[in-house]
Amino acid sequence: MRFNCTSSKIIAKDVTKYGITLQIQQGTDIKRQYLDHFLLRDASQSPTSVDTVSGQKLFTMGSLLNHPSGPIRPQLADIVQDGAALEVHWSDGDQFTYTSKYLESLYDDSVSIKKFEPEIWNKDAPLSLSKISVDFHAYMDPHDETHLYETMKVLDRYGIALITNIPNEAITNYTDWYVQMICERIGHVRTTFYGELFDVKNLETQANNIAYTSKPLPLHMDLLYLENVPGWQLLHCIKNSKGSGQNYFADTLAALQHIKSVDDSVLKALEQIPLSYHYKRDDKRYYQRRPLVEHKKHETVINYSPPFQGPVNLTEVDLSSSSEKQTLEKFKNGLAMFENYINDPQNQFQIMLPENSCVIFHNRRVLHARKAFEGERWLKGCYLDADTFSSRLTALYEKFGDE
């Protein structure tokens, strides 16, 4: 049971052998809240329980079960601050005042991470440059984080943003890479076996990735063969001659919404059959199995990368079962619907990346691709972990709110 900390009031308590039951008044309603002694003591934020400098816990949860004084119990439990808090003196010597706001947070599974409601884009709600473009100098302003916060809100809602008006990299003699500066404005660069930074150029016969050729690159996501897939990718366009290939992007959340509206059962099949993703070249051996649609605690993510997809492991699909055969048929129908949707140019955001701009996109939501090209083309790229992004966004939300 959750209660509103701004209008709730603790009006009574009942301390038993194993827990404390509070009566919480919200307007004219009175509700009961049970707090187990063990879990409540573990939640103490007192200076003897949590280090005041680092903010980290000074005891183990298990130590409460093996305490020399026996089971931890309240020696005193008083309603204080006119019902806004509960003060508890514990038998192990710890003392802490649990505010109603803090007690509410113990029942709120969203307090650790801030997410904005995603806004899908497709032919019915097209994405425009005006929605996602951000000036480099405003974004990088060390004295003002409001533009950074607004950019991260755009990224969280649409899954993509474009940083514009980046200084010409050649003038700086390449001593500082702007893509790294842009990334580190949010957090640390994620290093992979491609390095901290990587160059997307036509390497012809030396390419260890199809992206490092002039061939067309279909819609895909990066590094799905890793256990911890980077959440975000940044690509800084340094050179892009007129013969270069156009980039295009697709919103997979819009594709899922479309599939669900047509046949929800095929969407469920896309969540069940694992696809394999691998990278096998030189001394590198990476392999993971994950379904096309994957539900995480705070969001739904997609796993789609045809260039790096391997055969389906047949132990995952028991075709001797009629129900498994039906699931496979639904999977095939769902995959066909998914590909037809994302490959419809009307559902794509297409752009010839301008030189001195940097596109940032959600690597588990937004598919990216490139048409074949001629001429000189150079993108400098890097990755950013989803955890790093979420941490920065949450901290900025705590600072600025929804303003």
Side-chain angles (χ1 to χ4, degrees), residues 374-391:
E374 298 177 355
E376 186 178 9
R377 189 173 189 271
W378 179 14
L379 306 181
K380 194 81 174 178
C382 70
Y383 297 108
L384 176 73
D385 274 330
D387 288 336
T388 303
F389 180 92
S390 297
S391 171

Side-chain angles (χ1 to χ4, degrees), residues 199-214 373 377:
D199 296 293
V200 183
K201 294 180 175 180
N202 181 12
L203 301 180
E204 300 177 344
T205 59
Q206 302 301 313
N208 63 354
N209 186 310
I210 192 173
Y212 303 157
T213 70
S214 61
F373 68 92
R377 189 173 189 271

Side-chain angles (χ1 to χ4, degrees), residues 190-202:
R190 161 73 183 278
T191 302
T192 70
F193 67 82
Y194 289 110
E196 191 174 38
L197 306 178
F198 53 87
D199 296 293
V200 183
K201 294 180 175 180
N202 181 12

Side-chain angles (χ1 to χ4, degrees), residues 257-278:
Q257 186 181 80
H258 167 71
I259 294 171
K260 186 175 182 179
S261 68
V262 175
D263 187 349
D264 187 50
S265 67
V266 303
L267 183 58
K268 287 183 170 56
L270 295 178
E271 302 168 359
Q272 294 176 309
I273 295 182
L275 303 175
S276 66
Y277 297 96
H278 62 175

Side-chain angles (χ1 to χ4, degrees), residues 4 33 40 72 87 97 114 136 152 162 185 195 200 246 249 269 276 310 312 318 326 351 361 379:
N4 187 330
Q33 176 69 58
L40 188 61
I72 305 298
E87 181 181 337
T97 300
K114 176 59 185 174
F136 169 81
M152 294 190 70
L162 186 71
R185 184 73 171 126
V200 183
Q246 187 177 47
F249 304 85
S276 66
V312 172
D318 181 12
Q326 291 176 0
I351 182 173
F361 55 92
L379 306 181

Side-chain angles (χ1 to χ4, degrees), residues 77-246:
D78 280 343
I79 299 169
V80 297
Q81 300 177 18
D82 194 28
L86 177 72
E87 181 181 337
V88 183
H89 293 213
W90 295 98
S91 58
D92 65 345
D94 188 79
Q95 299 178 24
F96 186 62
T97 300
Y98 302 80
T99 65
S100 57
K101 181 178 181 179
Y102 181 60
L103 291 174
E104 180 188 24
S105 74
L106 301 179
Y107 287 87
D108 190 344
D109 65 359
S110 64
V111 293
S112 61
I113 180 173
K114 176 59 185 174
K115 293 290 294 181
F116 289 91
E117 191 67 27
E119 297 185 31
I120 68 170
W121 38 274
N122 53 20
K123 61 184 178 183
D124 298 320
L127 195 63
S128 65
L129 279 175
S130 61
K131 287 182 181 179
I132 64 170
S133 294
V134 182
D135 178 75
F136 169 81
H137 300 283
Y139 172 86
M140 291 298 301
D141 187 347
H143 306 294
D144 184 359
E145 291 184 324
T146 56
H147 292 287
L148 170 64
Y149 181 44
E150 290 303 316
T151 303
M152 294 190 70
K153 285 162 62 175
V154 167
L155 287 166
D156 206 43
R157 288 188 172 116
Y158 297 105
I160 188 170
L162 186 71
I163 309 297
T164 61
N165 301 320
I166 301 172
N168 189 323
E169 192 84 58
I171 295 176
T172 67
N173 296 316
Y174 311 120
T175 56
D176 296 307
W177 295 106
Y178 284 110
V179 70
Q180 184 168 354
M181 294 169 59
I182 293 168
C183 181
E184 290 180 343
R185 184 73 171 126
I186 299 174
H188 295 296
V189 172
R190 161 73 183 278
T191 302
T192 70
F193 67 82
Y194 289 110
E196 191 174 38
L197 306 178
F198 53 87
D199 296 293
V200 183
K201 294 180 175 180
N202 181 12
L203 301 180
E204 300 177 344
T205 59
Q206 302 301 313
N208 63 354
N209 186 310
I210 192 173
Y212 303 157
T213 70
S214 61
K215 298 175 182 177
L217 191 60
L219 286 165
H220 69 288
M221 293 164 171
D222 281 14
L223 307 181
L224 294 183
Y225 40 75
L226 299 184
E227 182 176 358
N228 180 20
V229 182
W232 296 85
Q233 183 171 176
L234 295 83
L235 292 172
H236 173 202
C237 182
I238 299 174
K239 295 288 183 182
N240 203 5
S241 63
K242 291 183 179 180
S244 294
Q246 187 177 47

